[in-house]
Amino acid sequence: MNPLGRKEQRMDLQDDGLGSSKTERRRSEIMRLLLETGTAQIKDLAQAMDVSLMTIHRDLNDLQDQGLVRRIRGAVSAEKSMLVESNYIYRARQHVDEKRRLARAAVNHVEPGNAVIWDDSSTTFHVCDFIEQVTPVTVITNALPVMERLRETTDVELIGLGGKFHRRYNGFFGLACENMIKTFHVDVALLSTTTIQGGSLYTQDEEVVRTKQSMMAIARKKILLVDESKFHFSALNYVADVAAFDVVLISRNVSPEILTQMRQARARLELV
């Protein structure tokens, strides 16, 4: 049996005519499968995605040009270290315009003098581009790219959360990180998520779950940043309900049906 072709593993790849194209979502799904399996036959990927071999080859050409995959004799593969590094790089390159809109809107919920904590997500990273609009602020984060970006930014007091470095997420996690978070009380927490299903946040890694929950627990105000792609995947571990956030900043590219579901789940939406 095709190990990638089980019906329940397939992503809905119908083009909804909104922001994120079916091509972009399909390539994200290819990356997800390769991160899980390491290597796949190209013909199996075509079957799993329900597209032609020509389409899969175009997808793989693009991913290879980005340095994310390599092809060997009818298969697509990468060294484990490359796959781990590629996960964050790939996420960071997707939906950039949406993420920047969300980040700009997030800064409107921060005031000068605030202490802000934010997670390792590629969405909240873009807050770095706008944080100087509300300085002076204190920024607490477990995300290495944020630390590198803000380390010399004027009027940003930067506190880096330590712990075990996770290359897949380019950030710090684990017990040491969680214990350090508990020593703070902040004005605002800025978070994103792997996916939203049925009014709840989910992610794949238990350490990521605990870190996000710890950040939420110490914040006076909790802000969730959600781009359109967050509704096309599934993940194993529950993080929180959307109703737990004071504001859910959500991309205007999200379909009206999903917006209705979010409101029914008592999400306080701000369309961006």
Side-chain angles (χ1 to χ4, degrees), residues 41 55 84 98 137 166 207 220:
Q41 294 295 312
T55 297
V84 168
E98 283 184 79
V137 293
H166 201 314
E207 288 187 325
R220 178 176 56 83

Side-chain angles (χ1 to χ4, degrees), residues 117 119 140 142 161 173-186 189 191 206-220 222 239-240:
I117 191 166
D119 64 11
I140 305 168
N142 67 322
L161 298 168
F173 297 90
L175 188 60
C177 179
E178 295 157 29
N179 286 339
M180 189 173 180
I181 292 171
K182 293 174 185 177
T183 66
F184 299 107
H185 179 73
V186 301
L191 293 93
E206 291 182 13
E207 288 187 325
V208 176
V209 171
R210 293 194 301 269
T211 300
K212 290 181 186 292
Q213 290 174 340
S214 297
M215 290 180 174
M216 293 175 67
I218 66 165
R220 178 176 56 83
K222 294 172 280 293
V239 180

